[in-house]
PDB file of all heavy atoms in Angstrom:
ATOM      1  N   LYS A 528      13.820 173.768 218.909  1.00  0.00           N
ATOM      2  CA  LYS A 528      14.096 175.126 218.428  1.00  0.00           C
ATOM      3  C   LYS A 528      12.820 175.946 218.565  1.00  0.00           C
ATOM      4  O   LYS A 528      11.789 175.603 217.983  1.00  0.00           O
ATOM      5  CB  LYS A 528      14.539 175.089 216.958  1.00  0.00           C
ATOM      6  CG  LYS A 528      14.563 176.482 216.281  1.00  0.00           C
ATOM      7  CD  LYS A 528      15.003 176.418 214.815  1.00  0.00           C
ATOM      8  CE  LYS A 528      14.850 177.772 214.124  1.00  0.00           C
ATOM      9  NZ  LYS A 528      15.254 177.761 212.691  1.00  0.00           N
ATOM     10  N   ASP A 533      11.247 184.451 212.842  1.00  0.00           N
ATOM     11  CA  ASP A 533      12.570 184.482 212.211  1.00  0.00           C
ATOM     12  C   ASP A 533      12.543 185.424 211.005  1.00  0.00           C
ATOM     13  O   ASP A 533      12.138 185.036 209.907  1.00  0.00           O
ATOM     14  CB  ASP A 533      12.967 183.063 211.784  1.00  0.00           C
ATOM     15  CG  ASP A 533      14.347 183.026 211.138  1.00  0.00           C
ATOM     16  OD1 ASP A 533      15.086 184.035 211.225  1.00  0.00           O
ATOM     17  OD2 ASP A 533      14.685 181.965 210.550  1.00  0.00           O
ATOM     18  N   GLY A 535      15.268 186.526 209.865  1.00  0.00           N
ATOM     19  CA  GLY A 535      16.590 186.361 209.276  1.00  0.00           C
ATOM     20  C   GLY A 535      17.611 187.244 209.983  1.00  0.00           C
ATOM     21  O   GLY A 535      18.812 187.045 209.863  1.00  0.00           O
ATOM     22  N   LYS A 540      15.440 188.100 205.504  1.00  0.00           N
ATOM     23  CA  LYS A 540      14.757 187.270 204.514  1.00  0.00           C
ATOM     24  C   LYS A 540      13.970 188.147 203.550  1.00  0.00           C
ATOM     25  O   LYS A 540      13.552 189.243 203.908  1.00  0.00           O
ATOM     26  CB  LYS A 540      13.758 186.336 205.222  1.00  0.00           C
ATOM     27  CG  LYS A 540      14.379 185.190 206.005  1.00  0.00           C
ATOM     28  CD  LYS A 540      13.313 184.333 206.656  1.00  0.00           C
ATOM     29  CE  LYS A 540      13.904 183.192 207.473  1.00  0.00           C
ATOM     30  NZ  LYS A 540      14.640 182.205 206.673  1.00  0.00           N
ATOM     31  N   ASP A 551       8.410 179.130 213.185  1.00  0.00           N
ATOM     32  CA  ASP A 551       9.798 178.688 213.359  1.00  0.00           C
ATOM     33  C   ASP A 551      10.067 178.168 214.784  1.00  0.00           C
ATOM     34  O   ASP A 551      11.198 177.904 215.142  1.00  0.00           O
ATOM     35  CB  ASP A 551      10.760 179.823 212.994  1.00  0.00           C
ATOM     36  CG  ASP A 551      12.105 179.320 212.480  1.00  0.00           C
ATOM     37  OD1 ASP A 551      12.180 178.134 212.100  1.00  0.00           O
ATOM     38  OD2 ASP A 551      13.076 180.109 212.489  1.00  0.00           O
ATOM     39  N   ASN A 583      14.292 186.369 216.297  1.00  0.00           N
ATOM     40  CA  ASN A 583      15.433 186.779 215.460  1.00  0.00           C
ATOM     41  C   ASN A 583      15.051 188.032 214.673  1.00  0.00           C
ATOM     42  O   ASN A 583      14.308 187.956 213.697  1.00  0.00           O
ATOM     43  CB  ASN A 583      15.806 185.636 214.510  1.00  0.00           C
ATOM     44  CG  ASN A 583      17.092 185.890 213.745  1.00  0.00           C
ATOM     45  OD1 ASN A 583      17.937 186.699 214.174  1.00  0.00           O
ATOM     46  ND2 ASN A 583      17.273 185.197 212.625  1.00  0.00           N
ATOM     47  N   THR A 609      23.191 185.628 209.685  1.00  0.00           N
ATOM     48  CA  THR A 609      22.373 185.704 210.907  1.00  0.00           C
ATOM     49  C   THR A 609      21.053 184.948 210.753  1.00  0.00           C
ATOM     50  O   THR A 609      20.322 184.767 211.725  1.00  0.00           O
ATOM     51  CB  THR A 609      22.070 187.167 211.308  1.00  0.00           C
ATOM     52  OG1 THR A 609      21.268 187.778 210.280  1.00  0.00           O
ATOM     53  CG2 THR A 609      23.345 187.967 211.513  1.00  0.00           C
ATOM     54  N   ASP A 610      20.755 184.503 209.521  1.00  0.00           N
ATOM     55  CA  ASP A 610      19.550 183.714 209.289  1.00  0.00           C
ATOM     56  C   ASP A 610      19.766 182.228 209.608  1.00  0.00           C
ATOM     57  O   ASP A 610      18.818 181.451 209.637  1.00  0.00           O
ATOM     58  CB  ASP A 610      19.101 183.887 207.832  1.00  0.00           C
ATOM     59  CG  ASP A 610      17.666 183.457 207.598  1.00  0.00           C
ATOM     60  OD1 ASP A 610      16.946 183.234 208.602  1.00  0.00           O
ATOM     61  OD2 ASP A 610      17.269 183.348 206.422  1.00  0.00           O
ATOM     62  N   ALA A 611      20.992 181.845 209.854  1.00  0.00           N
ATOM     63  CA  ALA A 611      21.247 180.460 210.308  1.00  0.00           C
ATOM     64  C   ALA A 611      21.279 180.488 211.828  1.00  0.00           C
ATOM     65  O   ALA A 611      22.305 180.207 212.468  1.00  0.00           O
ATOM     66  CB  ALA A 611      22.550 179.949 209.710  1.00  0.00           C
ATOM     67  N   GLU A 612      20.129 180.861 212.422  1.00  0.00           N
ATOM     68  CA  GLU A 612      20.059 181.129 213.860  1.00  0.00           C
ATOM     69  C   GLU A 612      19.614 179.937 214.698  1.00  0.00           C
ATOM     70  O   GLU A 612      19.962 179.830 215.861  1.00  0.00           O
ATOM     71  CB  GLU A 612      19.123 182.326 214.109  1.00  0.00           C
ATOM     72  CG  GLU A 612      17.629 182.008 214.211  1.00  0.00           C
ATOM     73  CD  GLU A 612      17.023 181.413 212.942  1.00  0.00           C
ATOM     74  OE1 GLU A 612      17.606 181.595 211.864  1.00  0.00           O
ATOM     75  OE2 GLU A 612      15.970 180.751 213.038  1.00  0.00           O
ATOM     76  N   GLY A 613      18.846 179.034 214.067  1.00  0.00           N
ATOM     77  CA  GLY A 613      18.296 177.916 214.838  1.00  0.00           C
ATOM     78  C   GLY A 613      19.392 177.056 215.443  1.00  0.00           C
ATOM     79  O   GLY A 613      19.318 176.638 216.605  1.00  0.00           O
TER      80      GLY A 613
HETATM   81 MN1   MN B 139      16.692 181.650 209.853  1.00  0.00          MN
END
Side-chain angles (χ1 to χ4, degrees):
K528 168 180 173 180
D533 181 12
K540 288 180 181 295
D551 208 17
N583 188 22
T609 64
D610 197 12
E612 85 298 339

